[in-house]
């Protein structure tokens, strides 16, 4: 059976990917310990590629990587690829973002998740992107999830990600949508082996 290494050291992500791949004829493995790839790309897709290629090359197996973040229209797409580094903690990141658009009525934003599967020779085998459109609330709401979840209200739901059950977030969320796009393509790819 083909092996797919998850190019992440985040145990939550590894768990999420492993559960997604459960129905596929593929052997999912975590990446080697202590391996960190610098995210120097200017887009989510570029960073997902960087990570997938580095881990595929290092392990000699196919590797799957993701990169995600929040793009706020009024901030020209910031924090974007810098979402994780926008401030030191989740609470500080939320505070900084709310302050940055404090006097702004334009609150539109979207989350984006890019996924990439690369081969050991550096070829990109699959690339997909998932998006979730919404708006930045004036104050945080809800206590589920992580990151910017309490200040991101999903269009058409009236709820922030932090007010949703995990299953609902998966359905609407950027990562869930990217997964949904990836699965049939990965099945096809596996069938060609
Ligand atoms: P990375 O994809 O691990 O590089 O991190 C992306 C960063 O974007 C996270 O640290 C969060 O700050 C933010 N982010 C990505 N997805 C979500 C989400 O579903 N909810 C809240 N914040 C998110």
């Amino acid at each position: 059976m083909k092996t797919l290494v998850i190019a992440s050291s985040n145990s939550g992500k590894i768990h999420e990917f492993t559960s997604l791949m459960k129905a596929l004829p593929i052997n999912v493995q975590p990446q080697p310990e202590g391996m960190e790839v610098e995210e120097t790309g200017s887009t989510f897709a570029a960073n997902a590629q960087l990570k997938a290629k580095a881990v595929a090359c290092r392990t000699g197996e196919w590797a799957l990587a993701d990169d995600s973040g929040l793009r706020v229209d009024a901030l020209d797409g910031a924090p974007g690829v810098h979402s994780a580094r926008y401030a030191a903690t989740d609470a500080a990141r939320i505070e900084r973002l709310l302050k940055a658009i404090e006097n702004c009525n334009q609150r539109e934003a979207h989350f984006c998740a890019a996924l990439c599967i690369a081969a050991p020779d550096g070829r990109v085998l699959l690339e997909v992107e998932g998006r979730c459109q919404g708006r930045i609330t004036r104050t945080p709401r809800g206590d589920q999830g992580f990151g910017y979840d309490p200040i991101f209200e999903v269009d058409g739901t009236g709820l922030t990600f932090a007010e949703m059950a995990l299953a609902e977030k998966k359905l609407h969320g950027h990562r869930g949508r990217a997964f949904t796009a990836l699965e049939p393509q990965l099945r096809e790819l596996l069938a060609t082996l």
Side-chain angles (χ1 to χ4, degrees), residues 37-59:
V37 181
E38 247 198 290
E39 298 179 12
T40 52
S42 58
T43 62
F44 301 114
N47 280 333
Q49 267 203 26
L50 272 175
K51 291 186 269 186
K53 284 180 181 176
V55 172
C57 180
R58 164 84 182 271
T59 59

Side-chain angles (χ1 to χ4, degrees), residues 78-158:
V81 290
H82 305 294
S83 293
R85 292 157 275 165
Y86 194 52
T89 62
D90 277 348
R93 286 186 272 276
I94 285 178
E95 195 183 328
R96 180 175 174 194
L97 183 55
L98 289 180
K99 183 95 190 132
I101 56 168
E102 193 172 31
N103 299 315
C104 190
N105 288 326
Q106 191 196 2
R107 313 289 296 183
E108 290 81 8
H110 64 267
F111 270 111
C112 188
L115 300 179
C116 174
I117 296 181
D121 62 4
R123 264 178 316 136
V124 170
L125 300 172
L126 279 182
E127 273 184 307
V128 295
E129 220 167 82
R131 270 185 180 217
C132 179
Q133 195 65 41
R135 40 196 303 113
I136 304 300
T137 57
R138 297 271 170 190
T139 50
R141 297 194 330 249
D143 53 12
Q144 306 293 305
F146 70 101
Y148 301 89
D149 281 353
I151 57 165
F152 184 80
E153 185 181 296
V154 180
D155 276 2
T157 70

